Amino acid sequence: TGCSKPLEPGMQFCPQCGKVVSGSAADVEYKEEQKKINSIIRESRRNWLIFLLTIYAIPVIIAALIVLFDASSTASAVWSSTEFQDWLASHHYNYTQNDIQNYITYAGYLALASGICAAISLVFVCLRKQWLIAVIACFAAAIFCFWSIFGIIIGFLVAWMIMGSKDLFEDGSEIVN
């Protein structure tokens, strides 16, 4: 079909253009190998998603819990810092130690929400189920991480990767093994 040169019965490849003859044993073998390669590529994408979501979700959840359990000590340490007091005075801010603790607590809750959303996305990627929920949860993780430009960029990048990986999910497009 490539060059329209007539073929002899049983030929595997066209002698003129080198194209595999459709329906031949070589064509069947080629298609089987292509399925194997596509499967390896899909698994590699899935493994990268699992890796990226794991290295974000677990440390962020742990750090957020530490911050939330220790917000008053952290606020006290920040408040007692002469550099922080000088900074407050130079900017004419009237913050209290309680304001600092509230800020740290809010940041901890945002980080926890971001980590939990990333963990939800991770679970669905691992299960190969609910592609849309995995995407939305990853976008939510990025949005809850609005205080970190690095977190937002990585979060949106991973969400974009999940969006382009619908074929990894059983409820997505057809999976060829």
Side-chain angles (χ1 to χ4, degrees):
T1 59
C3 65
S4 302
K5 181 170 171 63
L7 301 171
E8 303 278 328
M11 293 183 99
Q12 303 287 317
F13 301 92
C14 174
Q16 180 68 29
C17 67
K19 190 171 182 180
V20 176
V21 175
S22 181
S24 67
D27 186 40
V28 170
E29 182 180 337
Y30 172 78
K31 288 178 180 174
E32 287 300 316
E33 288 300 315
Q34 194 63 39
K35 286 180 184 179
K36 289 177 188 175
I37 291 169
N38 288 340
S39 178
I40 291 168
I41 291 170
R42 272 195 314 278
E43 278 307 303
S44 176
R45 280 189 294 140
R46 182 172 169 262
N47 290 338
W48 270 106
L49 288 171
I50 289 169
F51 172 74
L52 292 171
L53 288 166
T54 301
I55 65 168
Y56 179 79
I58 292 172
V60 167
I61 289 171
I62 291 169
L65 291 173
I66 290 169
V67 165
L68 289 171
F69 286 124
D70 200 31
S72 67
S73 297
T74 304
S76 177
V78 169
W79 188 256
S80 64
S81 163
T82 56
E83 291 88 7
F84 182 72
Q85 290 300 324
D86 292 344
W87 180 82
L88 282 177
S90 70
H91 289 87
H92 308 292
Y93 291 137
N94 294 324
Y95 292 128
T96 66
Q97 185 173 344
N98 193 43
D99 293 332
I100 303 305
Q101 182 175 342
N102 287 340
Y103 175 80
I104 291 169
T105 302
Y106 295 143
Y109 281 125
L110 287 170
L112 184 61
S114 179
I116 289 171
C117 287
I120 290 168
S121 186
L122 172 64
V123 166
F124 286 116
V125 168
C126 287
L127 294 175
R128 299 176 185 261
K129 303 249 187 232
Q130 302 300 325
W131 167 80
L132 186 58
I133 293 173
V135 171
I136 292 170
C138 195
F139 271 121
I143 291 168
F144 281 125
C145 192
F146 69 88
W147 40 268
S148 165
I149 190 69
F150 179 74
I152 290 173
I153 291 169
I154 297 302
F156 284 137
L157 177 65
V158 174
W160 176 74
M161 289 171 64
I162 296 170
M163 282 181 60
S165 298
K166 190 172 185 177
D167 61 324
L168 298 176
F169 292 78
E170 292 173 7
D171 57 341
S173 28
E174 186 67 27
I175 295 177
V176 180
N177 289 321

XYZ file of all heavy atoms in Angstrom, residues 9-98:
717
model
N 2.861 -13.458 -3.429
C 2.201 -14.051 -2.266
C 3.237 -14.480 -1.220
O 4.310 -14.984 -1.555
C 1.468 -15.265 -2.836
C 1.327 -14.986 -4.297
C 2.486 -14.124 -4.685
N 2.940 -14.222 0.043
C 3.795 -14.625 1.158
C 4.890 -13.626 1.501
O 5.671 -13.854 2.420
N 4.981 -12.511 0.768
C 6.015 -11.516 1.068
C 5.693 -10.825 2.392
O 4.537 -10.538 2.693
C 6.138 -10.477 -0.049
C 6.658 -11.034 -1.357
S 6.850 -9.739 -2.573
C 8.591 -9.446 -2.424
N 6.721 -10.566 3.178
C 6.570 -9.898 4.465
C 6.795 -8.386 4.349
O 6.198 -7.614 5.092
C 7.572 -10.474 5.483
C 7.454 -11.972 5.693
C 6.229 -12.331 6.492
O 5.903 -11.692 7.472
N 5.535 -13.370 6.061
N 7.676 -8.018 3.411
C 8.038 -6.613 3.220
C 8.024 -6.289 1.743
O 8.300 -7.159 0.903
C 9.451 -6.338 3.763
C 9.604 -6.636 5.222
C 10.028 -7.892 5.645
C 9.309 -5.688 6.174
C 10.164 -8.183 6.986
C 9.437 -5.966 7.524
C 9.867 -7.212 7.936
N 7.726 -5.059 1.393
C 7.757 -4.613 0.003
C 9.222 -4.451 -0.406
O 9.986 -3.764 0.273
C 7.026 -3.281 -0.142
S 7.149 -2.571 -1.798
N 9.628 -5.069 -1.532
C 11.029 -4.941 -1.962
C 11.355 -3.542 -2.473
O 12.510 -3.161 -2.508
C 11.162 -5.986 -3.068
C 9.782 -6.216 -3.562
C 8.863 -5.949 -2.410
N 10.344 -2.760 -2.823
C 10.566 -1.420 -3.357
C 10.729 -0.386 -2.243
O 11.720 0.325 -2.209
C 9.391 -1.028 -4.263
C 9.506 0.335 -4.887
C 10.621 0.417 -5.921
O 10.975 -0.563 -6.565
N 11.202 1.598 -6.076
N 9.763 -0.329 -1.311
C 9.789 0.728 -0.288
C 10.120 0.202 1.112
O 10.353 0.992 2.035
C 8.462 1.480 -0.249
S 7.047 0.509 0.319
N 10.106 -1.109 1.310
C 10.468 -1.687 2.599
C 9.353 -1.727 3.620
O 9.556 -2.162 4.752
N 8.165 -1.299 3.241
C 7.046 -1.282 4.162
C 6.579 -2.706 4.469
O 6.608 -3.578 3.608
C 5.900 -0.472 3.557
C 4.778 -0.182 4.508
C 3.780 0.790 3.914
C 2.697 1.073 4.942
N 1.725 1.997 4.430
N 6.141 -2.921 5.726
C 5.617 -4.225 6.129
C 4.308 -4.463 5.386
O 3.451 -3.579 5.307
C 5.375 -4.266 7.658
C 4.734 -5.577 8.070
C 6.667 -4.051 8.412
N 4.146 -5.669 4.854
C 2.930 -6.021 4.129
C 1.813 -6.254 5.139
O 1.950 -7.053 6.071
C 3.151 -7.283 3.254
C 1.852 -7.722 2.595
C 4.227 -7.000 2.214
N 0.723 -5.521 4.973
C -0.411 -5.610 5.893
C -0.974 -7.024 5.923
O -1.183 -7.651 4.888
C -1.494 -4.620 5.442
O -2.586 -4.656 6.322
N -1.191 -7.553 7.142
C -1.750 -8.881 7.310
C -0.712 -9.986 7.305
O -1.040 -11.149 7.561
N 0.542 -9.660 7.022
C 1.592 -10.687 6.994
C 2.007 -11.038 8.423
O 1.651 -10.356 9.391
C 2.812 -10.171 6.217
O 3.429 -9.113 6.924
N 2.778 -12.100 8.555
C 3.285 -12.498 9.877
C 4.149 -11.390 10.471
O 4.111 -11.131 11.675
C 4.074 -13.796 9.761
N 4.917 -10.700 9.647
C 5.753 -9.590 10.121
C 4.880 -8.450 10.641
O 5.214 -7.801 11.644
C 6.664 -9.095 9.002
N 3.748 -8.216 9.977
C 2.822 -7.171 10.406
C 2.222 -7.519 11.768
O 2.149 -6.668 12.657
C 1.719 -6.987 9.360
C 0.802 -5.822 9.681
O 1.298 -4.775 10.124
O -0.421 -5.971 9.477
N 1.818 -8.771 11.942
C 1.253 -9.212 13.215
C 2.303 -9.093 14.319
O 2.026 -8.600 15.412
C 0.716 -10.662 13.094
C 0.342 -11.221 14.455
C -0.464 -10.713 12.142
N 3.522 -9.537 14.029
C 4.611 -9.455 15.018
C 4.914 -7.996 15.379
O 5.110 -7.649 16.543
C 5.867 -10.130 14.463
C 7.023 -10.144 15.432
C 8.257 -10.812 14.850
O 8.135 -11.629 13.916
O 9.348 -10.493 15.337
N 4.924 -7.138 14.361
C 5.181 -5.713 14.586
C 4.107 -5.115 15.500
O 4.430 -4.377 16.439
C 5.215 -4.962 13.247
C 5.271 -3.467 13.405
C 6.457 -2.827 13.735
C 4.118 -2.697 13.241
C 6.507 -1.457 13.892
C 4.156 -1.319 13.397
C 5.351 -0.703 13.725
O 5.384 0.647 13.885
N 2.870 -5.431 15.241
C 1.777 -4.890 16.059
C 1.853 -5.395 17.499
O 1.564 -4.657 18.439
C 0.424 -5.213 15.427
C 0.165 -4.393 14.171
C -1.150 -4.737 13.521
C -1.331 -3.879 12.274
N -2.506 -4.252 11.504
N 2.237 -6.656 17.692
C 2.398 -7.207 19.043
C 3.534 -6.497 19.790
O 3.401 -6.165 20.959
C 2.646 -8.718 19.004
C 1.430 -9.529 18.645
C 0.282 -9.340 19.635
O 0.541 -9.341 20.858
O -0.861 -9.178 19.181
N 4.641 -6.285 19.098
C 5.773 -5.581 19.715
C 5.395 -4.143 20.045
O 5.783 -3.612 21.087
C 7.007 -5.612 18.798
C 7.674 -6.955 18.711
C 8.165 -7.450 20.067
O 8.783 -6.671 20.826
O 7.926 -8.633 20.370
N 4.618 -3.507 19.167
C 4.180 -2.139 19.405
C 3.291 -2.069 20.650
O 3.399 -1.144 21.439
C 3.433 -1.590 18.177
C 3.241 -0.100 18.222
C 4.545 0.673 18.218
O 5.505 0.323 17.532
N 4.604 1.721 18.995
N 2.432 -3.060 20.848
C 1.588 -3.123 22.055
C 2.450 -3.240 23.306
O 2.188 -2.587 24.312
C 0.617 -4.303 21.977
C -0.532 -4.107 21.038
C -1.428 -5.335 21.035
C -2.537 -5.221 20.022
N -3.394 -6.416 20.004
N 3.491 -4.080 23.248
C 4.387 -4.246 24.395
C 5.114 -2.940 24.712
O 5.220 -2.541 25.871
C 5.406 -5.352 24.128
C 4.832 -6.748 24.124
C 5.906 -7.769 23.788
C 5.323 -9.155 23.591
N 6.352 -10.114 23.143
N 5.597 -2.281 23.675
C 6.302 -1.005 23.871
C 5.364 0.038 24.453
O 5.723 0.760 25.388
C 6.929 -0.526 22.541
C 8.077 -1.450 22.154
C 7.390 0.920 22.638
C 8.595 -1.250 20.751
N 4.146 0.132 23.922
C 3.169 1.094 24.444
C 2.836 0.801 25.903
O 2.664 1.718 26.705
C 1.905 1.089 23.585
C 2.123 1.737 22.239
O 3.064 2.501 22.048
N 1.257 1.421 21.290
N 2.755 -0.469 26.261
C 2.484 -0.853 27.641
C 3.630 -0.418 28.560
O 3.399 0.095 29.655
C 2.271 -2.366 27.729
O 2.048 -2.752 29.059
N 4.851 -0.599 28.112
C 6.027 -0.179 28.894
C 6.030 1.340 29.069
O 6.297 1.851 30.161
C 7.326 -0.675 28.225
C 7.417 -2.197 28.337
C 8.550 -0.002 28.831
C 8.511 -2.821 27.474
N 5.709 2.068 28.013
C 5.672 3.531 28.081
C 4.585 3.988 29.054
O 4.809 4.884 29.873
C 5.458 4.137 26.676
C 6.715 3.915 25.822
C 5.110 5.618 26.756
C 6.539 4.247 24.359
N 3.399 3.373 28.980
C 2.307 3.723 29.908
C 2.718 3.469 31.354
O 2.479 4.279 32.231
C 1.040 2.938 29.567
C 0.154 3.606 28.551
C -1.238 2.991 28.502
N -1.265 1.546 28.486
C -1.088 0.783 27.416
N -0.863 1.337 26.255
N -1.150 -0.527 27.503
N 3.328 2.311 31.613
C 3.755 1.989 32.978
C 4.819 2.957 33.461
O 4.835 3.325 34.636
C 4.253 0.548 33.067
C 3.144 -0.454 33.213
C 2.199 -0.140 34.359
O 2.646 -0.017 35.519
O 0.992 -0.006 34.091
N 5.692 3.387 32.571
C 6.718 4.355 32.937
C 6.068 5.690 33.327
O 6.455 6.297 34.329
C 7.685 4.555 31.778
O 8.621 5.545 32.077
N 5.089 6.140 32.548
C 4.375 7.383 32.884
C 3.677 7.241 34.225
O 3.711 8.143 35.059
C 3.343 7.733 31.809
C 3.943 8.401 30.613
C 2.871 8.919 29.680
N 2.134 7.797 29.113
C 0.823 7.772 28.928
N 0.078 8.793 29.244
N 0.241 6.715 28.399
N 3.036 6.115 34.444
C 2.328 5.869 35.706
C 3.306 5.869 36.875
O 3.041 6.466 37.917
C 1.574 4.541 35.643
C 0.783 4.236 36.892
C -0.094 2.995 36.651
N -0.653 2.543 37.897
C -0.155 1.558 38.642
N 0.911 0.901 38.237
N -0.721 1.224 39.771
N 4.451 5.220 36.710
C 5.458 5.192 37.774
C 5.979 6.590 38.093
O 6.210 6.921 39.257
C 6.606 4.247 37.404
C 6.176 2.800 37.437
O 5.200 2.435 38.078
N 6.903 1.960 36.715
N 6.171 7.420 37.074
C 6.602 8.797 37.313
C 5.533 9.571 38.076
O 5.861 10.343 38.992
C 6.936 9.505 36.001
C 8.361 9.343 35.622
C 8.869 8.558 34.641
C 9.479 9.957 36.260
N 10.235 8.648 34.627
C 10.640 9.501 35.602
C 9.613 10.856 37.310
C 11.916 9.922 35.975
C 10.888 11.264 37.680
C 12.016 10.800 37.014
N 4.282 9.402 37.700
C 3.203 10.080 38.423
C 3.167 9.643 39.882
O 3.043 10.471 40.788
C 1.849 9.812 37.751
C 1.626 10.505 36.417
C 0.352 9.985 35.757
C 1.568 12.006 36.600
N 3.284 8.344 40.110
C 3.283 7.824 41.479
C 4.464 8.404 42.252
O 4.312 8.849 43.400
C 3.303 6.282 41.479
C 1.945 5.749 40.990
C 3.638 5.730 42.861
C 1.934 4.259 40.704
N 5.634 8.426 41.634
C 6.823 8.966 42.283
C 6.624 10.440 42.646
O 6.860 10.854 43.790
C 8.038 8.796 41.367
C 9.277 9.477 41.852
C 9.998 8.958 42.913
C 9.735 10.639 41.241
C 11.149 9.585 43.369
C 10.873 11.276 41.690
C 11.587 10.752 42.754
N 6.195 11.261 41.691
C 6.037 12.697 41.928
C 4.977 12.980 42.992
O 5.177 13.839 43.867
C 5.694 13.412 40.619
C 6.810 13.431 39.576
C 6.285 13.963 38.250
C 7.995 14.243 40.071
N 3.849 12.283 42.918
C 2.795 12.500 43.909
C 3.239 12.046 45.295
O 2.930 12.700 46.299
C 1.516 11.781 43.482
C 0.788 12.410 42.290
C -0.256 11.445 41.738
C 0.156 13.742 42.675
N 3.979 10.950 45.362
C 4.443 10.436 46.655
C 5.453 11.377 47.298
O 5.344 11.665 48.498
C 5.066 9.032 46.491
O 4.083 8.157 45.946
C 5.554 8.484 47.815
N 6.431 11.856 46.518
C 7.448 12.721 47.121
C 6.895 14.087 47.489
O 7.547 14.845 48.204
C 8.718 12.868 46.252
C 8.415 13.583 44.949
C 9.384 11.537 46.047
C 9.655 14.005 44.183
N 5.700 14.406 47.011
C 5.049 15.641 47.464
C 4.120 15.362 48.640
O 4.228 15.994 49.687
C 4.271 16.307 46.329
C 3.572 17.558 46.802
C 4.284 18.734 46.956
C 2.221 17.558 47.136
C 3.668 19.885 47.432
C 1.603 18.696 47.611
C 2.326 19.866 47.754
O 1.719 20.986 48.223
N 3.205 14.430 48.471
C 2.124 14.231 49.449
C 2.638 13.851 50.837
O 2.254 14.466 51.833
C 1.142 13.173 48.941
N 3.481 12.861 50.914
C 3.897 12.349 52.228
C 4.690 13.390 53.026
O 4.328 13.684 54.175
C 4.656 11.013 52.073
C 3.673 9.944 51.577
C 5.297 10.589 53.390
C 4.308 8.635 51.192
N 5.739 14.001 52.472
C 6.459 15.002 53.267
C 5.606 16.218 53.634
O 5.728 16.755 54.734
C 7.626 15.419 52.378
C 7.790 14.328 51.397
C 6.433 13.727 51.216
N 4.726 16.644 52.722
C 3.898 17.818 53.014
C 2.909 17.510 54.137
O 2.707 18.331 55.034
C 3.175 18.318 51.738
C 2.081 19.306 52.060
C 4.187 18.941 50.790
N 2.304 16.335 54.110
C 1.382 15.962 55.185
C 2.126 15.896 56.518
O 1.654 16.426 57.531
C 0.670 14.631 54.864
C -0.336 14.828 53.726
C -0.038 14.080 56.105
C -0.935 13.539 53.184
N 3.294 15.282 56.528
C 4.074 15.177 57.768
C 4.479 16.560 58.265
O 4.310 16.883 59.454
C 5.314 14.271 57.562
C 4.867 12.822 57.358
C 6.273 14.381 58.746
C 5.971 11.898 56.880
N 5.004 17.397 57.372
C 5.414 18.750 57.768
C 4.225 19.567 58.267
O 4.335 20.286 59.270
C 6.085 19.459 56.595
N 3.093 19.448 57.605
C 1.893 20.190 58.023
C 1.441 19.754 59.410
O 1.082 20.598 60.241
C 0.772 19.994 57.007
N 1.454 18.465 59.668
C 1.061 17.983 60.992
C 2.019 18.476 62.072
O 1.588 18.878 63.161
C 0.959 16.457 60.999
C -0.193 15.871 60.184
C -0.091 14.355 60.120
C -1.538 16.313 60.756
N 3.305 18.485 61.768
C 4.293 19.006 62.728
C 4.035 20.484 62.997
O 4.025 20.933 64.151
C 5.729 18.763 62.217
C 6.056 17.270 62.256
C 6.743 19.559 63.036
C 7.340 16.896 61.540
N 3.805 21.250 61.938
C 3.525 22.684 62.090
C 2.267 22.896 62.925
O 2.241 23.739 63.829
C 3.395 23.367 60.708
C 2.746 24.734 60.814
C 4.753 23.466 60.047
N 1.224 22.126 62.637
C -0.037 22.305 63.369
C 0.096 21.934 64.844
O -0.475 22.604 65.706
C -1.154 21.503 62.706
C -1.612 22.051 61.359
C -2.565 21.083 60.679
C -2.261 23.420 61.526
N 0.845 20.875 65.132
C 1.014 20.474 66.528
C 1.959 21.387 67.294
O 1.925 21.436 68.522
C 1.505 19.021 66.617
C 0.443 18.015 66.310
C 0.644 17.080 65.307
C -0.767 18.005 66.989
C -0.346 16.145 65.002
C -1.754 17.078 66.687
C -1.543 16.150 65.694
N 2.812 22.112 66.560
C 3.833 22.926 67.213
C 3.703 24.404 66.859
O 4.675 25.152 66.947
C 5.212 22.391 66.816
C 6.296 22.828 67.765
O 6.007 23.002 68.966
O 7.436 23.002 67.293
N 2.522 24.857 66.451
C 2.342 26.244 65.998
C 2.672 27.257 67.087
O 3.298 28.286 66.820
C 0.919 26.454 65.491
N 2.297 26.988 68.319
C 2.565 27.971 69.379
C 4.057 28.081 69.665
O 4.575 29.182 69.870
C 1.789 27.626 70.650
O 2.270 26.432 71.219
N 4.781 26.968 69.659
C 6.238 27.020 69.885
C 6.934 27.743 68.739
O 7.856 28.539 68.970
C 6.817 25.613 70.000
O 6.278 24.947 71.094
N 6.496 27.471 67.524
C 7.090 28.132 66.364
C 6.816 29.626 66.417
O 7.718 30.440 66.188
C 6.551 27.530 65.053
O 6.786 26.123 65.063
C 7.209 28.157 63.843
N 5.578 29.989 66.737
C 5.223 31.411 66.844
C 6.040 32.082 67.940
O 6.512 33.212 67.777
C 3.733 31.556 67.114
N 6.232 31.390 69.043
C 7.023 31.938 70.144
C 8.475 32.154 69.717
O 9.077 33.190 70.025
C 6.947 30.987 71.338
O 7.752 31.455 72.389
N 9.033 31.188 68.989
C 10.417 31.311 68.512
C 10.549 32.462 67.523
O 11.515 33.241 67.584
C 10.871 30.007 67.878
N 9.590 32.597 66.611
C 9.621 33.690 65.644
C 9.474 35.021 66.380
O 10.206 35.981 66.121
C 8.511 33.514 64.571
C 8.357 34.769 63.731
C 8.804 32.311 63.696
N 8.544 35.072 67.297
C 8.248 36.307 68.024
C 9.448 36.781 68.839
O 9.717 37.983 68.921
C 7.037 36.112 68.932
C 6.582 37.391 69.551
C 6.781 37.807 70.830
C 5.880 38.432 68.897
N 6.243 39.041 71.020
C 5.676 39.452 69.834
C 5.408 38.609 67.602
C 5.019 40.633 69.543
C 4.753 39.791 67.305
C 4.567 40.774 68.269
N 10.188 35.856 69.409
C 11.323 36.230 70.258
C 12.575 36.590 69.454
O 13.561 37.041 70.016
C 11.640 35.106 71.248
O 12.041 33.954 70.555
N 12.532 36.406 68.161
C 13.668 36.739 67.303
C 13.821 38.255 67.183
O 12.866 38.967 66.826
C 13.463 36.113 65.922
O 14.302 36.705 64.979
N 15.011 38.756 67.458
C 15.243 40.205 67.338
C 15.138 40.657 65.882
O 14.676 41.768 65.617
C 16.621 40.587 67.916
O 17.630 39.821 67.272
C 16.668 40.371 69.414
N 15.551 39.786 64.955
C 15.440 40.146 63.534
C 13.976 40.351 63.140
O 13.647 41.277 62.397
C 16.063 39.062 62.638
C 17.559 38.941 62.723
C 17.992 37.997 63.838
O 17.135 37.331 64.462
O 19.201 37.934 64.094
N 13.105 39.475 63.659
C 11.684 39.609 63.340
C 11.113 40.876 63.972
O 10.362 41.607 63.324
C 10.899 38.377 63.815
C 9.446 38.437 63.469
C 9.017 38.269 62.162
C 8.495 38.681 64.454
C 7.677 38.339 61.832
C 7.145 38.752 64.134
C 6.736 38.582 62.816
N 11.478 41.157 65.189
C 10.994 42.368 65.863
C 11.487 43.623 65.136
O 10.726 44.587 64.972
C 11.431 42.379 67.329
C 10.735 41.348 68.191
C 9.226 41.530 68.229
O 8.707 42.649 68.221
N 8.500 40.420 68.240
N 12.738 43.599 64.680
C 13.272 44.723 63.904
C 12.517 44.880 62.591
O 12.235 46.003 62.157
C 14.766 44.529 63.626
C 15.615 44.624 64.879
O 15.115 45.139 65.913
O 16.779 44.164 64.823
N 12.214 43.745 61.953
C 11.467 43.783 60.689
C 10.077 44.386 60.912
O 9.621 45.219 60.126
C 11.372 42.377 60.116
C 10.626 42.299 58.811
C 11.122 42.563 57.578
C 9.257 41.944 58.644
N 10.133 42.393 56.635
C 8.969 42.014 57.267
C 8.238 41.579 59.516
C 7.717 41.730 56.746
C 6.992 41.293 58.995
C 6.739 41.371 57.621
N 9.391 43.952 61.986
C 8.065 44.505 62.309
C 8.148 46.014 62.520
O 7.318 46.772 61.992
C 7.492 43.846 63.568
C 6.887 42.462 63.448
C 6.437 41.959 64.823
C 5.727 42.439 62.480
N 9.137 46.446 63.277
C 9.289 47.876 63.570
C 9.603 48.674 62.313
O 9.042 49.757 62.106
C 10.380 48.076 64.618
N 10.457 48.121 61.447
C 10.839 48.855 60.232
C 9.673 48.993 59.249
O 9.652 49.914 58.444
C 12.034 48.194 59.554
O 11.653 46.951 58.993
N 8.724 48.072 59.318
C 7.569 48.128 58.422
C 6.329 48.700 59.106
O 5.262 48.785 58.494
C 7.265 46.732 57.870
C 8.281 46.252 56.885
N 9.416 45.603 57.269
C 8.347 46.362 55.537
C 10.135 45.311 56.208
N 9.516 45.768 55.143
N 6.456 49.056 60.369
C 5.355 49.638 61.143
C 4.140 48.724 61.213
O 2.995 49.175 61.102
C 4.956 51.013 60.587
C 6.110 51.943 60.446
N 6.781 52.465 61.534
C 6.754 52.434 59.348
C 7.762 53.240 61.125
N 7.773 53.234 59.782
N 4.402 47.419 61.358
C 3.317 46.454 61.513
C 2.990 46.293 62.988
O 3.872 46.354 63.838
C 3.703 45.084 60.937
C 3.831 45.056 59.422
C 4.892 44.391 58.834
C 2.894 45.669 58.602
C 5.020 44.343 57.454
C 3.023 45.625 57.231
C 4.080 44.965 56.658
O 4.205 44.926 55.293
N 1.730 46.072 63.281
C 1.280 45.901 64.662
C 0.802 44.475 64.909
O -0.280 44.264 65.441
C 0.149 46.886 64.989
C 0.629 48.316 64.978
O 1.750 48.583 65.385
N -0.204 49.224 64.510
N 1.598 43.510 64.489
C 1.232 42.118 64.706
C 1.504 41.708 66.145
O 2.420 42.231 66.779
C 2.019 41.182 63.775
C 1.660 41.327 62.321
C 2.650 41.527 61.374
C 0.346 41.240 61.894
C 2.340 41.644 60.027
C 0.023 41.355 60.553
C 1.021 41.563 59.632
O 0.709 41.682 58.306
N 0.716 40.752 66.609
C 0.937 40.173 67.933
C 1.449 38.744 67.758
O 1.394 38.184 66.666
C -0.370 40.138 68.747
O -1.275 39.231 68.111
C -0.997 41.530 68.863
N 1.911 38.174 68.852
C 2.363 36.788 68.808
C 1.204 35.878 68.417
O 1.384 34.902 67.690
C 2.945 36.365 70.155
C 3.532 34.969 70.127
C 4.256 34.599 71.404
O 4.578 35.464 72.212
N 4.521 33.323 71.579
N -0.002 36.218 68.849
C -1.187 35.444 68.485
C -1.444 35.515 66.973
O -1.843 34.520 66.367
C -2.401 35.928 69.276
C -3.551 34.965 69.165
O -3.361 33.756 69.242
N -4.753 35.503 68.981
